[in-house]
Every structure is written in C-alpha cells, then in structure tokens.
Amino acid sequence: MYHENPNLKYVEVKDVPHKNILGRVGRVSSPLPLLFNGSGIEVVVTGSDLWIELETDCDFHEPWVAYELNGFMMGRQMLLPGTHSMCLFRNMSPDVPKKIRFFREIQAMGEDDYTKILVKGFKLDGEFLEVPKFDMKIEFIGDSITSGEGTYGAFEDMDWLTMYMSVSRNYAYMTAKELNADYHMISEGGWGVYTGWDNDIRHNIPSIYEAVCGSVGPKINEELGTAEPYDFSWQPDVIVVNLGTNDSTSFVQPPFDVPGMGTFKQRLNEDGTHNREDDLKVEKAVIDFLTMLRKHNPKAHIVWCYGMLGYDLTPVLTEAVNEYRLTTKDNNVAFLNLPNTLEGEYGSHMHPGFPSHKKASILLADYIRSKVTVQ
C-alpha cells in the first residue's frame, strides 16, 4: 500500500526562491500559466520526492505536458480537467541535487477556449537550490512545424488531436537545448505570415505577436490577461522565424469567406505559377513583420527559416528579406533554408517527424553559433 511521504511540504510557485520560467508571462504569474508550447518551469531540488501541483481545463483539446530529470526526458502525458498532484520523482537519494524541467507540450489552443495549464506549486522534502544560468536567449516563431505537430504518432495517423503535438521532439526545443538557451515559442498550426493555409487571412502570426498570447479566446483572456500588450522585457539574442509553409499552401486552396471582411484567395496563374500581386502581399507581410520584430527587439539577430516541407516560397521570402535589409540598412537579418523532409522522415499528419526535426536543429544550432557569441 502506498504511503505519502510525511515530510513533504507545499511551496506555492510564487514562493519558490530559485526557478527558471520558460515562455511568455503576463500580469498573472501565480499560479503560473503555461500559455505557449514549451512554456514551463525549471527547478533544482534536493530531497527524495518531488510533486508538482497543477490546475488544468479543456473542452475538447486536452493539454499535454512533459518533464525532464537531469536533462533527460522522463514523462509525457495528457491531463483531463481538474487539479492534479503529479509525481516527478520518488525515493531518490535525498542529498543529491536533481534538475527538473516541466513544460507544456502543445501550442496555444485558440480552437478551445478552456484549454489551460496552471502551475500552482510543488511538494517536496528537500530544498530549492540555485538554477543553472543559460548562455543565450532565443525566440522561435512559427506554425505547426514549430508546434511539433506530427512528431509523435504513426505515419498513417491523421486525427487532428493534441497528442500528436510536442515540444520535446521538435527542432526548436532541440536547438535551444543544444545551445543551453532560454527560449520563448510562439506558434500556431495552419497560420502564416500573411494568411493561413486555407486563405483565412485572420490566421497570421504578426497579428498576435504584440499580445501576451493573442491567439486564445475570451475566457482565457479574462482570467489570465492574454490579450494585453506584452512588455518585451525579455530580450532575445536570436529570433528564429519559421513561417511561409502555410502561405505557400494557400495558393492551391479554394477561396475563404471571412465574415464581415470578404472573400480571400491567393491565386495561381494559368501556367501554375504564383500570381505576382499575391506574392507581393506575402512579401509586404514579411517586411512589415521584420519591422515589428526589430521595433521590439533592437539587438536580436533575426533569421528567417523555411523549407522543411518544400521550397516553393523561397524566392518570395528571400526577396522580402533582401528588400527589408536594403531599405532599412539592417544587416542583422538573414534567410536560412532548412533541410527538406525526406521519405522515411515524416511523422503523423504528413508533417516532419523526429528525424527531420533533428536534422534541422543541427543545422540551425551551427548557424546560431556562427552568429552569436556565447555569454
């Protein structure tokens, strides 16, 4: 029969003396909301047992979480609505320090106004120690690729469910770990820099970038202030933008009717090439977003990445990056093609699988090393 450790003490998250908070946070920080994919908390503790206290909710899209012990993946699971006391380790050597990183696996779920993960505190029989410092800060901005969609599950799995999303097996997380980087992630599956995959122009990442977490609905916003302006006090050394895949897909999708706005369609010419006027809409969106990023992050090196699911939009994106550099004289911006996903490297949902993400992370980490001096 299980007997709870009588020496466990409860510490609210606001009272944890040493911690690394991963991901954007607004005015509400206790309980700590994990708003975006990769958002989490890292602590170093002594003691034999450690539990994390959580509050979660959802309607349809169940939240998934994961955790590492001393840098190694130890658990990943779905949580149903309610309060949870989740064991992160038991019966370990009490005097040996243990580093735990607990994080949200799934993107912000705008389709489910109830999906949330709140970290309330910890139960432990040891002490909190100093947490290790990071060497740099990286912000990752993207779509379903950066959300890690398809990195779990079999190739034939096509149900659009949160269990197929992950941070733990995506290129952004692997790059950050390789570089010992603090990170923020902002990504939404199906979204683009100008339009979503289905020509829904409301689904563009620049429209939500300046809010704490602008893609979620009114219930979460009322509770956590997600629609409030983000303060940008966290300044990255590098910003990795991986957008364009859905903008490219929109050219082969039917028109989309946006209530109150009209009908939108990125057009193809009769010969199958992109309509130039519609390419220029994407280029303008890229230039405008680079301008926005530079406004809020004056010293960051910005690299626009593309290519894990084809290279159709590479000429448009490179033209936009070059035009931005030419007109602004901002030479701290670059374009980088990531390796394409090959046969055998796909995961579920016809998305890049773990091998493809690993390949991309190696290239991206090497690139960032060449551009940023470690502190």
Side-chain angles (χ1 to χ4, degrees):
M1 180 179 294
Y2 166 71
H3 296 283
E4 183 173 288
N5 183 338
N7 298 316
L8 293 178
K9 59 185 178 183
Y10 177 65
V11 181
E12 289 188 43
V13 69
K14 67 180 177 61
D15 295 324
V16 174
H18 309 293
K19 55 184 176 283
N20 284 330
I21 302 298
L22 305 168
R24 282 189 175 187
V25 177
R27 59 175 169 81
V28 178
S29 59
S30 184
L32 176 67
L34 307 185
L35 299 173
F36 284 103
N37 46 324
S39 294
I41 184 169
E42 185 176 76
V43 295
V44 177
V45 298
T46 58
S48 63
D49 296 18
L50 179 68
W51 298 68
I52 190 167
E53 305 299 299
L54 305 166
E55 178 184 340
T56 60
D57 200 2
C58 68
D59 180 18
F60 179 75
H61 292 300
E62 299 90 353
W64 279 73
V65 296
Y67 70 96
E68 293 182 346
L69 173 62
N70 294 328
F72 287 86
M73 183 75 168
M74 294 297 290
R76 178 180 189 268
Q77 70 179 75
M78 178 179 69
L79 295 174
L80 295 176
T83 57
H84 309 273
S85 186
M86 181 176 169
C87 185
L88 300 179
F89 63 77
R90 283 187 73 220
N91 299 324
M92 295 193 72
S93 300
D95 297 330
V96 177
K98 278 81 67 174
K99 183 175 76 170
I100 285 284
R101 177 180 288 186
F102 180 89
F103 53 94
R104 175 178 176 135
E105 278 271 80
I106 64 171
Q107 66 181 26
M109 299 304 300
E111 299 85 357
D112 186 339
D113 197 27
Y114 291 85
T115 300
K116 70 176 181 182
I117 306 170
L118 303 179
V119 178
K120 301 174 72 175
F122 294 92
K123 291 192 298 185
L124 71 165
D125 60 351
E127 303 296 331
F128 292 97
L129 305 180
E130 293 278 354
V131 292
K133 298 184 183 302
F134 295 108
D135 292 328
M136 67 174 69
K137 298 176 182 177
I138 307 176
E139 181 173 67
F140 297 92
I141 303 169
D143 49 36
S144 59
I145 298 173
T146 305
S147 292
E149 183 176 343
T151 51
Y152 281 91
F155 175 75
E156 61 270 18
D157 292 345
M158 296 300 291
D159 290 323
W160 200 85
L161 300 171
T162 52
M163 67 181 177
Y164 296 116
M165 299 178 185
S166 87
V167 170
S168 55
R169 288 165 65 92
N170 84 23
Y171 79 94
Y173 191 68
M174 288 187 279
T175 300
K177 285 198 68 179
E178 174 65 22
L179 298 172
N180 187 35
D182 188 6
Y183 63 84
H184 284 185
M185 297 185 193
I186 302 168
S187 62
E188 289 292 336
W191 290 40
V193 63
Y194 170 69
T195 185
W197 70 277
D198 55 358
N199 286 293
D200 187 344
I201 65 164
R202 296 170 299 182
H203 291 168
N204 67 87
I205 295 295
S207 68
I208 65 170
Y209 179 74
E210 295 180 305
V212 173
C213 184
S215 58
V216 295
K219 181 181 184 297
I220 298 295
N221 176 49
E222 290 171 8
E223 181 181 355
L224 303 175
T226 54
E228 296 173 1
Y230 181 58
D231 66 9
F232 294 98
S233 57
W234 188 89
Q235 285 286 295
D237 300 295
V238 180
I239 297 175
V240 177
V241 185
N242 188 355
L243 289 171
T245 299
N246 291 303
D247 297 276
S248 177
T249 302
S250 69
F251 282 89
V252 296
Q253 295 300 314
F256 191 94
D257 294 322
V258 180
M261 297 179 66
T263 301
F264 297 88
K265 173 73 179 88
Q266 292 291 84
R267 298 162 295 174
L268 293 175
N269 299 319
E270 291 185 1
D271 63 358
T273 59
H274 288 186
N275 178 279
R276 179 59 177 165
E277 290 181 1
D278 292 336
D279 270 350
L280 289 174
K281 295 174 185 176
V282 178
E283 288 191 20
K284 183 178 185 304
V286 171
I287 293 169
D288 289 346
F289 193 33
L290 288 171
T291 302
M292 180 190 295
L293 292 173
R294 180 57 73 219
K295 171 187 173 183
H296 295 297
N297 308 278
K299 297 182 179 179
H301 177 73
I302 304 172
V303 54
W304 198 290
C305 297
Y306 177 69
M308 293 175 69
L309 286 175
Y311 299 109
D312 288 353
L313 215 61
T314 295
V316 175
L317 298 175
T318 54
E319 185 174 346
V321 170
N322 290 337
E323 178 66 20
Y324 169 83
R325 286 167 53 100
L326 181 66
T327 57
T328 65
K329 309 303 181 185
D330 181 357
N331 293 318
N332 203 16
V333 176
F335 179 84
L336 180 68
N337 264 328
L338 296 177
N340 202 15
T341 302
L342 304 177
E343 185 177 353
E345 296 178 342
Y346 284 91
S348 57
H349 295 189
M350 283 299 294
H351 273 64
F354 174 74
S356 179
H357 279 265
K358 182 64 176 177
K359 187 169 62 175
S361 73
I362 292 171
L363 177 68
L364 184 56
D366 285 344
Y367 172 84
I368 292 173
R369 284 192 188 98
S370 74
K371 296 296 181 180
V372 178
T373 302
V374 174
Q375 297 176 357

